Amino acid sequence: MAKLVSLPEDALFLGLDSSTQSLKVTVLDANLQVTCSRAVHFDSELSHYNTKDGVHRGAGGEVTAPVLMWVEALEAIFNKLKSDNFPFERVYAVSGSGQQHGSVYWKQKCGSEALKTLDSSKSLHLQLKNAFSIMESPIWMDSSTSKQCRAIETAIGGPDVLAQITGSRAYERFTGPQIKKIYESHKHVYDSTERISLVSSFMASLLVGNYAAIDYSDGAGMNLMDLRRRVWSKAVLDVTAPGLEDKLGGLAPSHTVAGKLSAYFVERYSFSPSCIVIHWSGDNPNSLAGLALDLPGDLAISLGTSDTVFGITSDPNPGLEGHVFPNPVDPDTYMVMLCYKNGSLTREGVRNQMADGSWEVFNHKLNDTSPLNDGNVGFYYSEPEIIPPLPAGLHRFKLTQVCSESNGKPSFTAETIQEFNPSMEVRAIVEGQFLSMRAHSERIGMPSPPERVIVTGGGSANKQFLKMIAEIFGCNVYTIERTDSASLGAALRSAHGWVCKKLDKFIPVSDLFKGREDMNAVQCKLVAEGMKDSLHKQYGLFACERMKLEKMLVEQLKLSI
Ligand code: XUL
């Protein structure tokens, strides 16, 4: 029987999630059971900031959010807990999750000064209204920095060199290109900035009453950090903006302590003065923690508006697609992430056209066809895709296996096809999406087969999809019924960080789960069994052929992959 890591009986651990549209909180007790959760919705509850879906959209792809709205949301959520008579004094640690890549600019002389001299009888946002050099923070939805991305990549020696150093090629939403744009277009604002925080480290700064370091996992979403050495890359800083290192401050392992909760919150809400703040991290790293992925080979697939794949590996291979971040709950391993733009809406488009808008009909059609779809493969992009970078469009091919070549390996010919029948079309879209996930996750360093796949998001309700994922990936597939994996992950990281601090050493987060198998985060359900069998092997060959077709399409459409 595994030894239980004991937590004080009365302890509560808070996980906040400052996401694009809301601020949420999830509270765990000493058995790591969720005892309470609350949320503040930006558009409706802080409507004076006039956001739509939590953001302001400007010209040329600019997307920002008001920094003071995030501050006010923090007050609002604590006020809600206060009116619920929440026992703040039992909270041992707080951590959090922030939408990745978004950045906050603290004004010279005003920022840290304001944080350090907060008066607990006054509201937080009023005291911080002059603390920022930029009131509108650029966020992950911003796509206005293509020029800066290309300039950084060229100056550093190419996109692959940047990916090798930082874990990702340059992306418009990443913080380095965003900072470069501010430096180039508003130099005086850049010069008047004392510290640049990420949304995650910004929220942690509010809680500790001082500038908090950026954690390794979220730091890797900036195109500025040396992924393996976990320091700012001087070479990349030099091609981004002058004097940047001083403005970024330090980096810290995600499971470590950012500081004690500031007197402001202790006095205003009656938190215990010994309550600590564990470094915040990005929403995707927190979700990885919230889904209890903890071992190399664990993979999660979220089937939503966009599809996201993330997993843990000890041997990442950063390249021209996807992202590699340090694992937020294990400094020795890495988290890989792939974001697809064409997810559920594209599947629904095919369902509407080919299956009378019904998932039932869609699934019948899937059953009419067999795995591998008689060699019929398709690429379905109703939106311009990121993986691979292709414009909206449809491409259909028929693969035919030809006699083994002299080296004995099977080879294929591919013929362009104009139309598939509805059943083929239905299988081609889903099989194509999952084959792409397998091929790209292997390319970025996930083992084949993975240890297990956890499927979340709306699409995880479709049993046929789960069966197909098990066949394609060749491993068991599980589902987890949680919609708040980021705030749950933050609450778990809060407990994990508190234990590591108490023991004065790092312990694997899985040690926390031992003996607590009934807790929400680890309660995943086996929904489909998969095997490393001949079908898995055959799908592997198809995945390779698909990658060749994908490369050809990218070259044909004159876009660099
Ligand atoms: C990840 C990304 C989004 C945001 C959403 O790279 O840009 O998932 O983190 O909050």
Side-chain angles (χ1 to χ4, degrees):
M1 177 77 184
K3 192 165 168 277
L4 188 73
V5 174
S6 70
L7 297 166
E9 227 170 75
D10 64 333
L12 296 175
F13 298 95
L14 247 62
L16 289 144
D17 174 24
S18 180
S19 71
T20 314
Q21 303 200 37
S22 64
L23 177 70
K24 301 186 204 87
V25 66
T26 296
V27 184
L28 292 178
D29 65 14
N31 296 315
L32 300 182
Q33 297 293 350
V34 176
T35 60
C36 141
S37 53
R38 300 292 258 135
V40 172
H41 185 247
F42 300 149
D43 288 3
S44 57
E45 293 178 72
L46 297 171
S47 57
H48 46 287
Y49 290 99
N50 293 315
T51 55
K52 174 148 189 328
D53 304 323
V55 307
H56 290 149
R57 289 167 197 272
E62 274 186 12
V63 184
T64 59
V67 63
L68 284 176
M69 177 178 79
W70 296 332
V71 180
E72 209 176 328
L74 185 64
E75 301 183 88
I77 207 152
F78 283 157
N79 289 342
K80 280 193 183 190
L81 290 176
K82 195 173 180 175
S83 52
D84 294 345
N85 290 322
F86 178 77
F88 287 99
E89 69 286 354
R90 286 174 49 199
V91 177
Y92 278 60
V94 184
S95 190
S97 159
Q99 50 172 309
Q100 286 199 269
H101 319 298
S103 44
V104 172
Y105 299 79
W106 298 92
K107 204 193 298 178
Q108 246 165 22
K109 301 200 181 79
C110 309
S112 64
E113 199 48 36
L115 278 174
K116 285 181 194 154
T117 54
L118 290 171
D119 176 344
S120 62
S121 67
K122 297 186 181 143
S123 97
L124 192 60
H125 70 284
L126 292 179
Q127 295 182 76
L128 291 178
K129 68 178 193 307
N130 297 318
F132 307 102
S133 54
I134 297 180
M135 302 308 287
E136 284 288 320
S137 284
I139 65 149
W140 66 278
M141 292 163 82
D142 185 286
S143 59
S144 67
T145 63
S146 302
K147 185 179 126 205
Q148 288 75 19
C149 288
R150 299 297 80 79
I152 292 169
E153 287 179 347
T154 307
I156 204 75
D160 42 347
V161 177
L162 187 67
Q164 278 304 322
I165 301 173
T166 68
S168 302
R169 69 175 297 173
Y171 286 92
E172 279 74 2
R173 66 190 193 285
F174 275 45
T175 327
Q178 293 289 344
I179 294 172
K180 186 172 177 62
K181 182 179 146 201
I182 291 168
Y183 166 68
E184 287 173 358
S185 55
H186 296 98
K187 186 172 175 303
H188 61 288
V189 174
Y190 178 79
D191 288 342
S192 72
T193 299
E194 178 173 75
R195 177 59 64 97
I196 302 173
S197 297
L198 292 177
V199 176
S200 54
S201 64
F202 162 67
M203 297 296 286
S205 304
L206 298 180
L207 293 174
V208 297
N210 208 342
Y211 293 145
I214 291 176
D215 78 292
Y216 292 158
S217 297
D218 216 13
M222 300 174 81
N223 278 142
L224 292 174
M225 188 186 86
D226 184 319
L227 177 71
R228 301 192 193 255
R229 293 174 48 237
R230 293 170 198 204
V231 292
W232 299 118
S233 158
K234 295 222 183 308
V236 188
L237 294 188
D238 283 351
V239 300
T240 302
L244 187 50
E245 188 157 10
D246 285 347
K247 296 187 198 291
L248 292 172
L251 283 158
S254 317
H255 68 275
T256 57
V257 178
K260 278 199 169 175
L261 188 68
S262 87
Y264 178 85
F265 295 98
V266 171
E267 288 162 17
R268 203 166 163 91
Y269 297 99
S270 310
F271 277 99
S272 154
S274 56
C275 177
I276 53 173
V277 179
I278 304 300
H279 283 291
W280 285 44
S281 189
D283 56 344
N284 292 297
N286 275 288
S287 290
L288 176 120
L291 292 174
L293 298 198
D294 60 345
L295 292 174
D298 273 355
L299 191 79
I301 297 178
S302 163
L303 298 175
T305 312
S306 57
D307 289 342
T308 310
V309 179
F310 48 78
I312 300 179
T313 180
S314 33
D315 191 18
N317 179 26
L320 298 186
E321 62 209 10
H323 313 292
V324 180
F325 309 132
N327 178 348
V329 283
D330 178 3
D332 287 339
T333 60
Y334 293 85
M335 149 174 194
V336 295
M337 184 170 89
L338 305 168
C339 298
Y340 290 88
K341 242 190 188 166
N342 287 273
S344 60
L345 298 180
T346 311
R347 287 186 287 276
E348 277 163 33
V350 171
R351 179 203 63 184
N352 295 346
Q353 268 199 313
M354 301 287 164
D356 307 332
S358 145
W359 284 121
E360 214 183 314
V361 179
F362 189 97
N363 285 348
H364 275 304
K365 294 204 181 297
L366 267 181
N367 283 339
D368 284 348
T369 49
S370 23
L372 304 164
N373 209 13
D374 281 331
N376 294 300
V377 297
F379 296 78
Y380 297 80
Y381 305 128
S382 54
E383 291 267 351
E385 184 48 76
I386 308 171
I387 304 176
L390 281 174
L394 279 177
H395 313 276
R396 299 182 187 87
F397 300 91
K398 166 110 181 153
L399 290 176
T400 310
Q401 191 164 344
V402 291
C403 291
S404 296
E405 287 169 346
S406 49
N407 64 11
K409 285 193 180 154
S411 64
F412 294 84
T413 58
E415 167 197 357
T416 306
I417 301 280
Q418 287 314 317
E419 240 181 86
F420 288 157
N421 70 38
S423 301
M424 284 175 183
E425 185 94 323
V426 155
R427 182 169 281 274
I429 181 170
V430 205
E431 239 179 30
Q433 289 180 328
F434 299 152
L435 277 173
S436 170
M437 291 176 189
R438 172 171 168 186
H440 287 279
S441 60
E442 286 175 10
R443 189 194 265 186
I444 201 167
M446 285 303 292
S448 173
E451 286 296 319
R452 58 176 177 161
V453 177
I454 296 177
V455 187
T456 65
S460 65
N462 190 322
K463 293 204 172 68
Q464 299 286 103
F465 290 4
L466 303 172
K467 179 170 171 279
M468 198 187 283
I469 292 174
E471 287 168 352
I472 291 179
F473 281 86
C475 66
N476 287 350
V477 169
Y478 300 79
T479 53
I480 263 185
E481 272 172 42
R482 287 215 70 93
T483 49
D484 55 353
S485 52
S487 58
L488 175 67
L492 280 172
R493 291 199 318 100
S494 156
H496 178 231
W498 183 85
V499 173
C500 293
K501 162 80 180 144
K502 174 117 198 306
L503 301 177
D504 200 18
K505 63 171 190 195
F506 175 81
I507 59 152
V509 69
S510 53
D511 284 7
L512 273 190
F513 306 150
K514 288 177 189 152
R516 296 190 172 95
E517 282 76 14
D518 60 341
M519 59 166 289
N520 311 54
V522 281
Q523 265 182 337
C524 50
K525 193 166 104 200
L526 177 64
V527 284
E529 289 182 38
M531 276 182 290
K532 199 176 170 181
D533 55 7
S534 62
L535 181 58
H536 170 257
K537 192 169 166 210
Q538 198 62 23
Y539 267 131
L541 296 176
F542 262 50
C544 277
E545 290 310 303
R546 210 189 135 82
M547 289 297 257
K548 289 184 200 159
L549 291 172
E550 207 180 270
K551 189 161 182 267
M552 181 195 80
L553 287 171
V554 171
E555 277 161 9
Q556 263 178 12
L557 294 159
K558 301 218 176 345
L559 287 162
S560 62
I561 193 166

